[in-house]
Amino acid sequence: MMKHYTKHPKHFVAVDCVILGYDEGELCLLLYPRGFEPSKGAWSLMGGFVQDDESSDAAAKRVLKQTIGLEDIFMEQVAAFSNPNRDPEERVISLAYYALVRMDEHDKACVRENGAHWWPISELPEMIFDHGQMVEQALVKLQQEAGYRLIGKELLADKFTLLQLRKLYEAIFRREFDPGNFRKKILSLNVLERLNEKDSSESKKGAFYYSCKNEVTERGLDRIVKV
């Protein structure tokens, strides 16, 4: 077999996963204490090296499966991080992905096995290398996604109130929304189905539960939020 690239430099390629969940009004990030040098014991995103027989997407899906025990969840590439000095050990180019996980569905035993911990976005610890930059860029990507497509199915329970949906959007965009305007905008999109069931915890009158209409959640929508 001819080797045409032998004179060119060779680099390691890795994936790092920004795994986001939502719990009690706050976005959370899954981190684990790195198990090897360099920076052993420091907080790190979940990641791994791309193997010879897989694409970067396949590597990210493998990491997610091993970490949280889930497949077929929302995942999107954020960016490539290629600063020559980003990893003090070797030249490693990392492709960052972000994934959205329902906190009531992930495998808690998998998380414990990795020593991982859910951190509120507002209280993140210092992370290794450029992982903090990866998180910030992932959050910008999430805002862009949520601005044009209803993010609810990926992070909320199967049924939710409009208040719960608004609180999720406030957590994503890190600001408050006018309740009336948010309700009017969301209902105008015709992407929710109102259920014949109420949550009585929000008020004496109760608030109707809604669910996402599966047939329209993937299509492009009018802008929900201006980023």
Side-chain angles (χ1 to χ4, degrees), residues 1-224:
M1 181 181 295
M2 297 183 65
K3 301 289 186 181
H4 297 288
Y5 304 145
T6 54
K7 295 182 180 180
H8 296 283
K10 295 178 177 61
H11 310 308
F12 291 94
V13 179
V15 294
D16 285 296
C17 296
V18 180
I19 304 174
L20 297 170
Y22 177 72
D23 184 47
E24 297 184 355
E26 186 146 24
L27 278 179
C28 299
L29 173 68
L30 190 63
L31 298 174
Y32 86 110
R34 186 172 164 96
F36 54 91
E37 297 292 353
S39 301
K40 183 177 180 179
W43 289 107
S44 169
L45 295 173
M46 310 301 293
F49 289 100
V50 179
Q51 301 302 303
D52 290 337
D53 60 347
E54 64 182 358
S55 66
S56 61
D57 282 6
K61 290 177 181 178
R62 171 174 53 81
V63 168
L64 291 172
K65 174 66 174 176
Q66 293 172 346
T67 303
I68 54 177
L70 295 178
E71 299 176 291
D72 299 323
I73 60 176
F74 181 90
M75 181 191 80
E76 187 173 283
Q77 190 176 134
V78 176
F81 290 79
S82 59
N83 187 305
N85 301 315
R86 60 172 302 276
D87 188 318
E89 185 73 13
E90 294 282 357
R91 178 73 196 276
V92 180
I93 297 171
S94 181
L95 304 175
Y97 288 78
Y98 82 96
L100 304 181
V101 177
R102 276 180 48 171
M103 300 286 278
D104 62 336
E105 289 186 341
H106 77 286
D107 190 329
K108 296 179 178 61
C110 281
V111 171
R112 287 195 298 269
E113 283 179 15
N114 289 288
H117 178 73
W118 287 100
W119 288 83
I121 288 295
S122 60
E123 302 175 12
L124 294 180
E126 185 174 347
M127 288 170 267
I128 66 167
F129 309 159
D130 49 6
H131 288 196
Q133 297 175 35
M134 293 180 181
V135 173
E136 283 302 316
Q137 290 196 33
L139 292 175
V140 170
K141 275 273 194 179
L142 174 59
Q143 289 180 349
Q144 293 170 345
E145 183 75 17
Y148 282 97
R149 187 177 69 82
L150 187 64
I151 297 291
K153 178 181 176 182
E154 291 84 0
L155 291 170
L156 294 175
D158 291 334
K159 60 182 182 180
F160 48 84
T161 66
L162 292 180
L163 173 60
Q164 290 167 346
L165 181 61
R166 176 165 58 84
K167 290 298 183 182
L168 169 62
Y169 263 71
E170 289 177 344
I172 290 173
F173 287 92
R174 301 185 233 185
R175 60 186 173 94
E176 294 184 353
F177 293 102
D178 178 81
N181 290 340
F182 184 85
R183 177 187 180 88
K184 181 179 178 181
K185 180 61 179 179
I186 290 298
L187 293 181
S188 73
L189 300 173
N190 195 30
V191 295
L192 295 178
E193 179 179 355
R194 195 177 81 172
L195 306 178
N196 190 27
E197 185 180 353
K198 284 187 174 182
D199 176 10
S200 59
S201 66
E202 295 180 5
S203 67
K204 292 182 179 179
K205 184 179 178 181
F208 278 105
Y209 280 113
Y210 290 80
S211 63
C212 293
K213 294 181 179 179
N214 292 330
E215 68 271 17
V216 296
T217 51
E218 298 303 322
R219 79 178 185 199
L221 301 172
D222 294 334
R223 180 174 289 188
I224 300 173

